[in-house]
Amino acid sequence: MMLYLIRHPRPLIAPGVCYGQLDVDIDDPATLAATLRSQLPVGVPVISSPLQRCLKLARAMDPGCRTDPRLMEIAFGDWEGRAWDEIPRAEIDAWAADLMGYCPPGGESAEQMAGRIRACLSSLRHPHIALVTHAGVIRQIVAIVQRVPLRDVLDFPVEYGEIILLNYENGMT
C-alpha cells in the first residue's frame, strides 16, 4: 500500500512552545489543500489526526475525511503549552537519555505512541491512503516501515504541508 504522509501547515503558536497534543489552530488551508490534492491519486481516502491543525487541512482536501486519534502527536502532558526553556532541565535530560521509554509528567512515552501508530497502520485496508498528521507521527511511521530505531530518524526533515510517500506492506510491523 502507498502511504501519503502529509504534515499539517505551520501552527499559529509562538516559536519555542511545546505543543504535542495541544490543539493549535492554523491559517486557512484552502490553497495548500488544493495543491496537495492535485498530488494525490484521484479518490484516495484521507485520514486525519483529530487535532485542528491537521483536521482543517484534511477537511479542505476531502470533506468526507475520517479521523483517527492514533494519528495524534505525542502527548507531552504537563509540558504542553510551556516554553521548552521553562521545562525543568532534569526532565529534558531524562527524556533525552531514554527516548523511547521516558514519559513526561502526565504524557506518554515514544514507545506508547509507537504502539498506537502500529495499531493504526495495521488497520489500514486501502491500496493508497493519505494520512494528515504530525512530524513526530511521520517520523515514527518512517522508523516502523524502515524497521529502524526512532533515534535513527529524529533528524529526518518533515516540512509543514509536505507529502512523504512510503510503500507499506500491511502486517510487517
Side-chain angles (χ1 to χ4, degrees), residues 67-136:
T67 61
D68 190 322
R70 297 174 295 187
L71 293 174
M72 290 196 308
E73 185 60 274
I74 193 167
F76 284 116
D78 295 348
W79 296 358
E80 299 277 348
R82 295 174 64 187
W84 283 103
D85 60 6
E86 293 176 1
I87 298 167
R89 186 72 213 177
E91 292 179 20
I92 297 290
D93 290 345
W95 182 38
D98 183 10
L99 181 65
M100 292 305 288
Y102 182 79
C103 186
E108 71 180 331
S109 70
E111 187 58 47
Q112 291 168 319
M113 177 188 182
R116 65 177 160 83
I117 293 169
R118 282 187 192 97
C120 178
L121 290 174
S122 69
S123 72
L124 301 177
R125 300 285 181 256
H126 197 276
H128 300 274
I129 298 177
L131 303 177
V132 181
T133 189
H134 311 270

Side-chain angles (χ1 to χ4, degrees), residues 15-168:
V17 174
C18 177
Y19 63 94
Q21 290 190 6
L22 187 66
D23 205 5
V24 181
D25 205 357
I26 58 170
D27 283 326
D28 181 9
T31 302
L32 176 59
T35 300
L36 292 170
R37 182 43 100 178
S38 72
Q39 297 172 27
L40 299 175
V42 174
V44 68
V46 176
I47 304 173
S48 177
S49 159
L51 297 175
Q52 65 181 328
R53 61 189 181 265
C54 294
L55 188 54
K56 283 186 174 184
L57 175 61
R59 284 187 176 147
M61 292 171 60
D62 176 4
C65 71
R66 293 183 336 179
T67 61
D68 190 322
R70 297 174 295 187
L71 293 174
M72 290 196 308
E73 185 60 274
I74 193 167
F76 284 116
D78 295 348
W79 296 358
E80 299 277 348
R82 295 174 64 187
W84 283 103
D85 60 6
E86 293 176 1
I87 298 167
R89 186 72 213 177
E91 292 179 20
I92 297 290
D93 290 345
W95 182 38
D98 183 10
L99 181 65
M100 292 305 288
Y102 182 79
C103 186
E108 71 180 331
S109 70
E111 187 58 47
Q112 291 168 319
M113 177 188 182
R116 65 177 160 83
I117 293 169
R118 282 187 192 97
C120 178
L121 290 174
S122 69
S123 72
L124 301 177
R125 300 285 181 256
H126 197 276
H128 300 274
I129 298 177
L131 303 177
V132 181
T133 189
H134 311 270
V137 174
I138 291 170
R139 288 183 182 107
Q140 283 271 16
I141 292 171
V142 169
I144 290 166
V145 169
Q146 293 182 354
R147 296 178 175 246
V148 299
L150 178 62
R151 191 170 299 279
D152 290 357
V153 297
L154 287 180
D155 292 332
F156 183 81
V158 185
E159 300 298 325
Y160 293 112
E162 178 180 17
I163 296 178
I164 294 170
L165 184 61
L166 281 180
N167 187 1
Y168 170 69

